[in-house]
Amino acid sequence: MLAYNFNWDVIWRQWPTIIEALLLGIGLAVASLAIGCIIGILCAFGRVSRHKWLDWAIWSYVEFIRNTPLLLLIFFVYFGLPQMGIRAFDKIESFILTLSLYAGAYMCEVFRAGLASIPNQYVEAAKAIGLRPWQRQLYVVLPVMFRITLPSISNTLISLFKDTSLAAAIAVPELTFTARQINANTFRVMEAWLTASALYLATSYAIAWVLRLVERRYSVIR
Amino acid sequence: MQNHMKPNATSAATGAMPLLRAVDVHKSYDRLEVLKGISMDVEQGEVLALIGASGSGKTTFLRCINLLEEFQQGEIDLDGEPIGYRMTGGRRRKIPEAALSAQRARIGMVFQSFNLFPHMTAEQNVMLGLTKVRGKPAAEARDIARHWLERVGLAERRGHYPFQLSGGQQQRVAIARAVAMEPRLVLFDEVTSALDPELVAEVLGVMQDLARSGMTMIVVSHEMLFVREVASRVVFMDGGHVVAQGPPQELFRDPESERLRSFLGRFHGVFS
Amino acid sequence: MQNHMKPNATSAATGAMPLLRAVDVHKSYDRLEVLKGISMDVEQGEVLALIGASGSGKTTFLRCINLLEEFQQGEIDLDGEPIGYRMTGGRRRKIPEAALSAQRARIGMVFQSFNLFPHMTAEQNVMLGLTKVRGKPAAEARDIARHWLERVGLAERRGHYPFQLSGGQQQRVAIARAVAMEPRLVLFDEVTSALDPELVAEVLGVMQDLARSGMTMIVVSHEMLFVREVASRVVFMDGGHVVAQGPPQELFRDPESERLRSFLGRFHGVFS
Amino acid sequence: GARAAQAQLVDTSKSKLQQVLDRGHLIVGTGSTNPPWHFEDDTGKLVGMDIDMSRLLAKNLFDDPEKVEFVLQGSDARIPSLITDRVDIVVQWMTITPGRAQQVEFTVPYYREGVGLLMMADGGRFKKFDEVKAAGSDATIGAMQNVFIEDWVHQALPEARVDQFESPDATVQALNAGRVDAYLGDQSAIRWLMQQAPGRYVDGGYGWMPNSYASAVKPGDPVWLNWVNTVYREAMLGVDFPTFSASYKKWFGIDLATPKVGFPTEFS
Amino acid sequence: MAERTFWTELWNAKWALLNGIAITTELSAYVVVASTILGLLGGLVLVYGWRPAALLVRLYVDVMRGIPVLVLILFWYYGLALFKINIPAFWAGVIALAGFATAHMSEIVRGAIQSVPAGQSEAAKAIGLRFWQRLRYVILPQATRRVLPPWVNTAVEMVKATTLLSIIGVVELLLATQQTIARNYMVIQFYLAATLLYFVLNFAISRLGALLERRFAYMRY
Ligand SMILES: Nc1ncnc2c1ncn2[C@@H]1O[C@H](COP(=O)(O)OP(=O)(O)OP(=O)(O)O)[C@@H](O)[C@H]1O
Ligand SMILES: Nc1ncnc2c1ncn2[C@@H]1O[C@H](COP(=O)(O)OP(=O)(O)OP(=O)(O)O)[C@@H](O)[C@H]1O
Ligand SMILES: [Mg+2]
Ligand SMILES: [Mg+2]
């Protein structure tokens, strides 16, 4: 029936490379999410601040990023910046920069929604015991917002992890890149893609599972 | 009916400085004037009950005292010091946030919906202000928190998160959080609504306890029976004015004001 | 104290079939038994008040009557017809969803939190059941809705969405929505909590009006003054049992049960 | 088992050749973004060396070079297309390697060349192969993902670093952007690029690592493979030589010498 | 030969690019419509469905969300062909993307339905509405408002994901752009042009979503 004979030897031979590639992808996703979270928090606070121009500037950033295919953004940072005379980043740094900006736009929206859903009463209670503005943000608003937004953060992390596959386009040796390399070398396309997707799926599940534990640990808000 | 534009008789007679003095406080939301000149004195150790129909401005007035709302005219003094605003160069200016926070720390507030911090245990809720505002070391703050949680009967619940506590228990944590800061004055906004009679009695017990220990309180409530039990003086507000005030027995037995009579309505007479 | 396992004396004496008869209703959440055998009769035209401490099962019982909760044992009959379950082949089975809906349509419920549909105006809230369940044409349903909104004093508010209405107004829309369906029985769950005395009086007026027109009602409330005014009979529940019942005057003046006496606590004696 | 299946396949009536003839047109898998092999010209028409080879097959099947349907696909798709019978043949710039030959059957090659280095005429760090070699590990070479590409680079430049890209335009862009110091390309592609943008690039002036380009068919169909081989061989050496050499001239700029008459050189 | 500038090249490529836009738009429209309908069903099954059915949908949703879209595309194009089912690249792409988006939409619908307070469904029960009536008149109208923002996000994601169909030779906007670039090597300029076109398309969707959202703003709790 199936006119195809599977041969997994090529996969086993490349196994260490594949795992390395997987870890690189996870690393890229986590680094970008971390930076993206910081960008997102700053932008979210910027958007709820009273400065009209700041709100507008951040809104433009978010809309631009969210409405442009990631692949094109990657090309711009990697190819476009050097042509404009900015040669500061290597390929991995460029990719993290792009993905961070991308994540930042999404996290900005996530956190903005989180901020909007924090009942004003908590802030008032914090005022009432005499906390200063930055103490209110630090001890009350941020912790509550993080707990509210945990599910969205874990969704974003999973999709960022899958988006690392686009790094292959600028020669970053992550999982998709490695799978393609195996394809090119051996033409074992089926084996390579099956392996890659199983690893993607397993990792996504693992991320979701870990974050669900974190969520359960911190879900003190009902 | 007393003239609501002047501080009440009590303090004028004794001559001592009242703990809180509000003079002609006006407050509007956009064009809607909610407080139309509220004046009152609250003496040290007094338990003042604010009653009045929905929308009469009771909550708004409490929020003005705690600087959660700006007010456009008038003055509120705590211990003789004006709160929230300062006159500089003939103009009335809001004082900076940092100074506001310091003033707020001298006033405790218990909200109708408790507003406990959901990500902190009961103990942590009480400790936060002690460590971050009062600057106490964690160990000392923990001792104080435990002391107060014990006093409101929640010694074994101190490690629980708000969602693990019943309404009455949350209410008591909120009270502990407010009083642990040793404020000069505590404001209670409808602390008993949505509690059953037994829990009301429990909260009442805690508040009477506080009153005995000399705590000054302003209490907003709709439950006249509760007011009768807890208050040393009652102020009746209507449409943004203070319409009547006096000790609860007198006021309830024989309401001078027509408006108060109709407000008490069918409950009037219960307070024999 | 009456035996709570038997229907009360009223119906036994008259011999007429009660509108609602609950016999030995048991209800558990997982392993927590909340109702431990509730039996009671409600006569046509009666206003029955359910009182009891928080967690005693009042809300749960109302929800069983309206089939919002399943119960594991016992029977509830409306007009002699068993509700929610049917015995087929010696086994107790839930009746199908369509039949459940038809039974629910004969019972109205006013929720503590109103639960108005936020995407519909007051009028549309009232009309929905009339058109979709009773199958009335829109024009007729609109007339009925307007009639009831007028009766609860909201004639000019009928085009407003819930968020544009005050708590008391939402409450009254919820009442209109329930009674416009002309149910045989209306259940009220703590309709007065979080309302100020004047609004309580207003809602009380509407309910007394309904009572005069012969509507049968079961009312859960924590406000004893309200209960005294509105109820023709009071049932006191504690820990999933009916502990005492009787006309309010008798029951409040001289509570036989120790538990009821302690429940009424400091309010006891008010009801002279 | 397998032998019986093979025996069956030899039955000419079941061969792909017969299926194609019955169908009335040929289905070719190829790409559209790699000049001069397969790309769209200014009018949006698919052209290039691979396309010419496909049309040659169609001409020999149906006497009509237009009776061919092109299925565009990425390089990842070349094998699945064959295995799943989506295409009759892949004519898509394929390098023959023995490893790949375990998966597909290659036809005879129709082009052989080495790789070279393309560098910026202005603004780049290097212009000559020897300069790149002297830079050692300081030089980064960009290349299309390919078989053992690192080995190839390191044969001539043992220390250079290698970045691999998915498409030639990404590789060229990496060169333009200064991301890489040189583009390791097929000499055909290098020639094409220099011809397209005169004065912009320079050739490093050294070629190495010969590799052969061929088409591929699904394994196990000797009839079909043999027929395609026949067409290709006669294009290079026999009846279709004029067409073939015109294509060579057009896409690679190479003038082919007319095959020697007399004893066929391939057997000498 | 006339000098090759970006503008002359753009003029040359106009039909190819317009055709790319048309294909991208058509693909996105099919994907969004199909996944919205199927996602609605999936969401309903997740919330109200018979237990085993709900578990199946949950499994589907989780697996789909964990697999790279590219693999799904290859599966539908080649995986089915292994069983002698040949679907054209365009439709294989629609199925792959719609299948992926359906998983997301199901989650979105589930979340939205569950965010409608339980009291709403109880109030609807209390006036005697049947299951479908409760859904139609009470639950779904309220869920719609919650669905809108994530729905817009998913729709935009899908427009962006159509770029992956270039691998199986669907000449959508990105492949059309790359074909142009292969001819003239004006990489940055043409990628910029493509970015602009994608932005316009997606921004239109975002604005439409915002507009609808504002229309539902009266629904507050
Ligand atoms: N943020 C606001 N914006 C506009 N109007 C407001 C705002 N908050 C309160 N109001 C109005 O101010 C008036 C007084 O409100 P307030 O909450 O002080 O009344 P209250 O006496 O506490 O009533 P209740 O007993 O119902 O709590 C009301 O008419 C209310 O509608
Ligand atoms: N969904 C549920 N799951 C588990 N336990 C429940 C649930 N709902 C109610 N209970 C429990 O059932 C008991 C009775 O609750 P119920 O709401 O009927 O009390 P009530 O008499 O209405 O109290 P209240 O006056 O506070 O409204 C309580 O102990 C409560 O914790
Ligand atoms: Mg208030
Ligand atoms: Mg209840």
Side-chain angles (χ1 to χ4, degrees), chain E residues 182-221:
Chain E
R183 184 165 62 236
N184 57 36
Y185 286 92
M186 294 181 177
V187 182
I188 288 291
Q189 294 92 320
F190 274 91
Y191 275 143
L192 253 179
T195 302
L196 194 70
L197 293 174
Y198 278 110
F199 179 80
V200 168
L201 194 58
N202 285 329
F203 194 69
I205 297 176
S206 303
R207 288 302 90 195
L208 180 71
L211 204 75
L212 285 174
E213 218 175 308
R214 218 164 303 139
R215 269 208 47 201
F216 285 101
Y218 65 87
M219 253 191 259
R220 281 184 237 156
Y221 294 105

Side-chain angles (χ1 to χ4, degrees), chain A residues 78 89 91 171 180 188, chain D residues 76 79 103 163-164 166 179:
Chain A
Y78 187 70
F89 311 105
K91 60 191 177 191
R180 290 217 160 125
R188 286 283 169 194
Chain D
D76 283 332
I79 301 313
Q103 297 294 302
D163 272 1
Q164 300 182 38
E166 276 172 54
R179 286 290 181 187

Side-chain angles (χ1 to χ4, degrees), chain C residues 194-262:
Chain C
L195 298 186
D196 74 33
E198 271 175 321
L199 284 177
V200 170
E202 214 173 287
V203 171
L204 181 67
V206 172
M207 287 173 64
Q208 283 173 330
D209 203 24
L210 291 173
R212 265 191 298 278
S213 69
M215 183 78 75
T216 316
M217 298 184 263
I218 302 183
V219 181
V220 167
S221 181
H222 280 143
E223 288 217 37
M224 296 308 136
L225 294 169
F226 177 78
V227 166
R228 188 187 61 169
E229 296 284 328
V230 83
S232 59
R233 187 154 55 96
V234 175
V235 171
F236 175 58
M237 285 178 63
D238 190 51
H241 295 286
V242 172
V243 175
Q245 52 180 306
Q249 288 76 9
E250 276 173 41
L251 206 68
F252 288 168
R253 189 171 347 99
D254 185 22
E256 277 176 59
S257 144
E258 187 47 49
R259 184 68 190 88
L260 177 55
R261 212 192 320 273
S262 101

